[in-house]
Amino acid sequence: MSRSTTTESSEMKELALVGKVELRIALTDSDAKLESMLNTYLAPLLLKLASDHVSVRNKRIARLSIKLPVAALVKQYKDCHNSIVRHFDILYIQQGIDRLPVHERLDLLPTLIHGLAENFEESPTHTASLFNVILKLLHHLVLPLRGSTEDTDLRLRLGLAERVLDAEFVASWLGKVILFTTSTSGTKSCPGLSAEECDFLKLYGKNDIWTLRGPGNSSSGMNLTETKVISAKFLSSGAFTEVERFLPALYASADSNSRLSDIGEDILKRATPVVSLEDHSLLAKLFKVYLGTRGATGSLPARRSLQTKILALFCRSRESTSFVPEILQIVKEALEPQSQTSDHVGSQLSGTAPKQGLDLAKLRAQVFAFTNWVARMGSGVSLSALAPTLVTDLRIYIEAQGWPRVNNDNPGLSMGELSSRSYCYESIGLLAKACPSDLLVEPNLDLLRWLFSSLSADTSGTDISISIEQALSSVLGPFAKNTDEDVENALTDLLLHNMSQKIGETGANGNIVVRSTRYVAVRFANRCLPFHNVKARLLDVLAQTDGPRERGEVLEEGRRGLNPYWYRNLNPLGNSPSIRNDASEISRYRMPNFVDLIQEFFLGQGTSMTVRQRLGFGYSPAITFCRGVLLHQALSSEDKSPVIDPDWKKNIDAMITNDETGRMEIKTHLENMCSAADEYYYLSRFLYAALEGFTDSSLGDSDSSGTCLLEICSLSPGRVIDEIASQVSRLRDAIFANRHSSRTIASHIFGILASRAENISPSVESLLDQFSKKTEKWSSSVGSEVHEVHGSVLSLAYLISRRKYLKNDYNLEGVDELGFIRLILTILSTGRDKELLDAATLAVDQLCLFGTLTSDTIPVPYDVLSLVDKLKARAEDGDDNSVLTLGHLAMQCDEDDEGSDVGTSALSRIIDSLYNLHEKRQPELQFAVGAALSCAAAGWQSKSLVGLQDVDSGAIPRCASRSKTLDVILEKVLSDCNTTKPALRQGSVIWLLCIVQYCGHLAQVQSRLRQCQTAFKGFLADRESLNQETASRGLTLVYEKGDRDLKDDLIRDLVGSFTTTNVGLAGNVSSETQLFEPGALPTGDGSVTTYKDIMSLASEVGDSSLVYRFMSLASNNAIWSSRAAFGRFGLSNILSDSSVDGYLAQNPKLYPALFRYRFDPNTNVRSAMNDIWSALVKDPQLTINEYFDSILEDLLKNILGKEWRVRQASCAAIADLVQGRPIDKYEKHLSRIWTLTFKVCDDIKDSVRQAAMALARVLTAVLTRSLEAGDSSSNTAGVMLKEVLPFLLSPSGLESSAQEVQAFSLKTLLQIIKSSNAKILRPFIPDLVGRLLALLSSLEPQEINYLHLNADKYGMTAQQIDDVRLSSVRSSPMMEAIERCLDMLDDSSMIRLQSSLEQALRTTIGLPSRVGVSRVLVSLSTRHNFVFKPYADNFLRALRKQVLDRNDTISTSFAAASGYVARLASNDEVLRLFDYCKKLYFDSGEDDRHRIVSAELVSASAKYATDRFASLANDILPFVFIAKHDPNERTKGLFNNTWNENVGGSRAVLLYLKEIVAMASPHLDSPRWSIKHTAAFAIADAVNAMGADISTLNAEVIWPSLEKALNGKTWDGKESILEAFITFAKNSDLLVSNKQIADRMQSIVLRESKRNNVQYRQHALACLGDFVEICKGEEWYDLVHDITNPLILELLDDGNEMDVDSQTGGPSSKITSERTLANALRTLLKSIDPVLREAPRLTASLTQTFDLLRKALFRNDKIVKDAILDGETALFKKLTNTGLNDSLDSILNEYASTLFEMDDQAEQSRTKAAEAATALARWAPKKSQVHTRLAGGVKLALTHERSSAVRQKLQACWKALDDQN
């Protein structure tokens, strides 16, 4: 067979097959058969579309409208890859899917999803249709409860567990659905989506895909908003993993629809911790969504809200900083003036204006936050690429706003613009810091100059200046590391320029300076320039130029820069060994060169006047700093550099004063300087400058300059002194100054300078002459003259003493030495002025010191003994100088020789006088006595005189020789140390200490060191703390001055005396000997502190030598630091003994005790122990780690010790120990640490409590840091929380009786909650929430409860106080913590939280706690509805009881909570709530409280659960309508608002009429008046709301209830029911159609009009009149007349009664009577019907009525007159068809006559009269009396009437008269 034949045969077979199928389909005679046929053949038939034969493919199949085999079609689509087959499969799937039952549709969902990702690769168009079908199916998918087993299995059920790609595809496109927006502008793309993606969601051109269904609309379009919400819910189910739904959740969380955003936020909270934000591909997707892909078909940028969310994620990702181009684009777009972000584009798409303001401000703020993150976390490569461009863009943005001043055309920046400007400055600083090499550290310093210019001239405000300062602070670091000399020079010049700028000046760049930059400039100098940079130090000096006028921080920074210790603190070396060994780093600390300092400070600006003007108040600090540098260099040159510590200056002072070696080194250095010509010049310039600073008081602290000058002069060689001596005359003003210190310093300098000259200069001679003249008049001097005499005496004393010593002659022309000595002795003898006595004493002291005044030179009549007596008398008054003068005088008195009495008597007298001063219990005075005794015993060999030799001739000044005096004095002092007299004991131990200190180098003392040690030991048990400290210091000195053998003997003796009770060398001292009194070292509250405390370290180590080393602790007291004579001493040198190291190696028990002592509360102990620690422990970190457990165990053991100082030290030590250590090192001790800490928090000692609280804060900080670290520390944090939280919630924590413990426990809890992540904290949330809710009340101040109970006393109400309490609860940090806990809830923790909340509902009693519970329920219902929904019914039931709380605030809060919970409750439970509200309302009795509660419940449900309320409106709105008529205003208002907000107009009542009537009718018979009245009012309001046409059906429904409402006696408000009755009669047809009802109506209206209630009667009569008008065709006059006539007569007779105010606040009795009369007359006139009444009867009725009218008009009441006129108008209009007769004409003439008696009435009354006249004129025949009367009256009225409105009415009447025939 040929190939063609085979092909034809195949084609024919296929056509035959198709034909047979078509025939079978055509022959089906029922839908059932057709469906069966299609199930079998449709899918195979569609396969023929893939046939090779065109004729087969062209065979057409008609579309059918019956159920199709969709499942088979879907399967075929998935299995077949032919595009044509798939196309028709899709067509029939789309056609047939909607015809399937819902369960069959949902069964197709797994099949549709499977392979979807692969289908998309093959054909996006077909996949779009399938995805659209999936979206439709999601609308019918009922998702299981989240967290349930069904939810967990959903991923497996849908087959997504094995098909991860399909799951990712579906999740991704669901996210795109959330991003998708429709557009009417024709734009193809939308924010976040490209045109291709939008086409996919729109099925590639099907515009009606998202068209809403509606009546008559057959479109299959879906509601986009609902689809988004359903998609988000599907994503939140167990079908997807956290990673898969992360991006869609992010998109949803930023949506403006709260329904969608709530779901997104909920998903995001759970997904974010799981997703890695360091995933590069994820970040790339986020950047793509943020920025869009641009181009014609690219995606638009995301909306601002989503961009803000994305940026927040970027700020948590280090990897995000690597996307350099994207970051640049983000910042650039954010800085655009009119930001064309996605919101703007999106608004163009939707045709709305772009939304500016808050969203843009938030976005910009987040952009800057991201910029800061990039600057901090970005890599060097990224920052190198980013920073320059970003900084440029930021600068452009700022300058575009106006820089440094805001542009004139933009005078006021908005808050958002100011905020952006602020962020820009801060970001510039951070970016520049991150990339300094490209932006900052370059020779031009362009950016730094720009920032300084911004700070000085930016006028944007204080907040902006703070940001600029912050930016400048950020760039400090890079400059501090700069080593480039050019950059350093440029920086120095820039800083000097900024230091010189003044506010108001115009800067170099032309900008006006509005803000000082001095502080920042000096800060840069101290941080960025090395210490040896002299210009930097000049900046520190210039910072102090303005003195007290300068800001405090500028002064302080300047002072710090001139102190090397503080400079090192500001610029510490890093911990890296490479840094510490870096020579360039260490060189930063090098001292500046003295010569360079002098050149820069005092010579760089030319003349001295210029220097003074430049430095101002900084002159003195400059001198002091130069002096320090000079002396430091001098001491450093001999390898004896002073220690750089806080007391650097004091260290130098001590070395100059006490250290003989140090003084020699300084002198040598100064001599070397004088040997070098250039250095000599600068040294002399410095002395000149110091002299200038001292003599010019305008330069600040002149005394400090003078002190520097005196100090340097006393150490300088003669050459430089001789040069400066030429300026000595400049000291005159200082010598005669009013300030005592200035005079003393100037006189001393004068003595040094003037004494060196070979020949006295004329200027000195002139001064000496002035001094002599002034001293001659000393006895008559007063005021300032005394100061001049004082200065003169001192100047002469210093000059004569030094001149005598240096020249040994008396050739002082103009000065009589003996006369001067006689003068000062005379002053001492006869003077009374203390200042002159001080001057004379000091003069004697100086003359004796240098050998000028001796027993031989004392002129007659004075002698040594009389001088001694005078000085003794002054010393006994407590004058230290007199004591020292006695010692210096003794130096000139010879020892006792055989046959001589004078010297012996004088020396003995002096020594005895000094001994006798022991009675003065003044420590300072006793130290002076000790120094004086040392001088008397050793002369110039005493070390106390080291610093007093300020001139040097190469020899020791004259002094009497000594051989035995020291021995005698020492024996005497040692003997007195054993006395029992307290004063003498104290004096003796101090004297002994001074002798050992000053004379310890002499043989006499060396030989008695053992005795001295014994004497000192005898004071260790003394009760006086000063004696103990003195003895301790003395023992240390004895140990230091002895040789090796002596040291060993002393140690052995001392240790023996402490370890045995046998008497040793020094006597008996036990280990329990009391050493320190309370307040001393250490202090104790009543406890006994023994010497074993200070020795404990030595005893533990076993090294007895440590006893002496540790004795120096007691000497480290203020009294020692205040006496320069003792200098500085430290423990590090003592502890360098090798034996110590040996013992430490064998006895590590020292470390725990020593570590604790480092935190002793006593400052001195703490300082000394730190010295010991530093000396012993070379590597603290290694040592602590090695002995960590031992140290911690010791601290935990001692934290509850008996002595408070031990407890306090233990707390501080533990705090230091655990900080920075890994938790595993002390995890096993953690519970014990917390327990002991909280125990000590309740310590009796306040300082211990504070230390314990500090420890607790440290523990909390450690825990908080672990919690904040997130997953990286989750195990650590979890361990700590398991220990800490139960403890905090225990009686030792929150339930502790100690308020401090309770408060801290709460604070700790809040910090834990704030810092924890959900994974760690979730297990504890239920307990935490319950406890925190209870604490809201227990921690409320008790004063609130008192105020609540006594509110009336303070002019407040309890409700006002409750409102304040409620507000405080809402803003309480505890509520914030609770909200934070709720944010971490999941399904499992919610189960436990349910019981906790139910318990809280039942047990909490205080208002704060109960309100807190309500707020928790509100939060759960709104922000956590997914986890809370299953429990909503239970809580809604529980809340019913809570709303009946007696406190209104609590009740209202629970009612509001009920409304929120109703959102999630089932319909049945909400209906039960409504039934409860009805029962509560109708069964309340006369108690308003229950009705108010019912109103609040209903109002809350309507307000907070609007959808639920609307869906159940038929069940609740009838009740609301009834209850809104409650007499209680609050109840009425709540129900009324609820009704108005939930109905669409007044006629909405008709929708619920039957329900309203059915509910109200039974209560019309209620025994409770309030309920009865409410029901009646509701019926009345329903009638009024029916409108003008009441249907018969509705009328018949409401008539029985209306009739019932009118039954019974009258009550307040019943008139409204009667008025509704009239409305009903008027608007319904029952009055005409139902005779029986009409009779009942007439009976009712007549009955009510006869009521006697005064207030009600007036309304009843008015209603009677209205009813008469309604009942046309009936005669009413006789009935009405019978009712009104007696009443009118009665009221007319009572017209003169007293007017009485109403007791209920209504109208007065007179007004009520007038209204009643008016309504009666109006009704009577309305009842006359001329048509129905015959002429005689009509005339009679008119006559009867007129008689009553005439009487009423006589009363002249406006209300009555207006009512009569209204009635007459109505009556006259009825006369139209009435014929004229004489009697009628006559009576109407009478009526007409009353109409024109209104001339004196109000305009309104005249208008009504004109209207009545017009009505009568239209009837009055031309010839009648009425016509004539009306014509005359109108004419006359027109003549007098001025009102245009009334005249118009009168003219109408006139026209009506003219129209009559």
Side-chain angles (χ1 to χ4, degrees), residues 1512-1523:
L1512 302 173
N1514 289 337
D1515 297 281
I1516 188 62
L1517 281 180
F1519 167 64
V1520 173
F1521 179 81
I1522 294 171

Side-chain angles (χ1 to χ4, degrees), residues 1253-1319:
M1253 294 303 293
L1255 171 57
R1257 283 192 291 272
V1258 169
L1259 294 173
T1260 303
V1262 171
L1263 174 58
T1264 302
R1265 285 194 294 272
S1266 298
L1267 295 173
E1268 290 174 344
D1271 292 338
S1272 61
S1273 299
S1274 59
N1275 293 333
T1276 299
V1279 170
M1280 297 183 74
L1281 276 185
K1282 288 179 182 177
E1283 296 287 347
V1284 174
L1285 277 181
F1287 176 76
L1288 292 174
L1289 297 174
S1290 70
S1292 299
L1294 285 173
E1295 297 179 6
S1296 172
S1297 58
Q1299 289 187 354
E1300 293 88 348
V1301 174
Q1302 194 179 66
F1304 181 78
S1305 299
L1306 176 61
K1307 183 178 179 182
T1308 303
L1309 269 179
L1310 298 182
Q1311 288 183 347
I1312 289 173
I1313 292 170
K1314 182 179 180 181
S1315 306
S1316 299
N1317 60 39
K1319 181 179 179 182

